[in-house]
Amino acid sequence: MKAFFVQIKCDLGKSYEVASALADAEIASEIYSTAGNYDLLAKFYIDDEEDVGHFVNERVQILPGIKDTFTIVTFRAF
């Protein structure tokens, strides 16, 4: 399994709806609200054979209310 994070910028007033949609889809292991340029931070785990780009494009960015995303690929936990 590989872990990665996605920062999510939501349409104005849609952060809670997007967070609920992510939780309902059961694709994120953790979801946080954040301050700054992005509204949410979500942590995902996918199989080693699965492509991060396709996952984000096909499973995350399609959710209503998402305006922009920034993906952070991780390499090692300490």
Side-chain angles (χ1 to χ4, degrees):
M1 298 290 279
K2 53 186 166 187
F4 63 96
F5 296 85
V6 177
Q7 292 181 292
I8 300 168
K9 187 179 294 185
C10 303
D11 291 329
L12 292 177
K14 299 294 182 183
S15 297
Y16 286 93
E17 291 176 30
V18 172
S20 292
L22 272 173
D24 291 345
E26 297 182 350
I27 57 173
S29 64
E30 300 171 44
I31 306 164
Y32 300 95
S33 60
T34 60
N37 293 329
Y38 291 86
D39 304 302
L40 301 172
L41 175 69
K43 184 176 184 179
F44 299 91
Y45 288 97
I46 58 174
D47 290 330
D48 289 329
E49 307 82 38
E50 203 167 350
D51 182 77
V52 172
H54 281 281
F55 181 89
V56 172
N57 187 52
E58 296 166 6
R59 308 279 307 273
V60 179
Q61 292 177 340
I62 62 164
L63 296 174
I66 293 181
K67 188 175 189 173
D68 191 19
T69 61
F70 183 82
T71 302
I72 303 164
V73 178
T74 59
F75 299 107
R76 182 176 172 190
F78 294 94

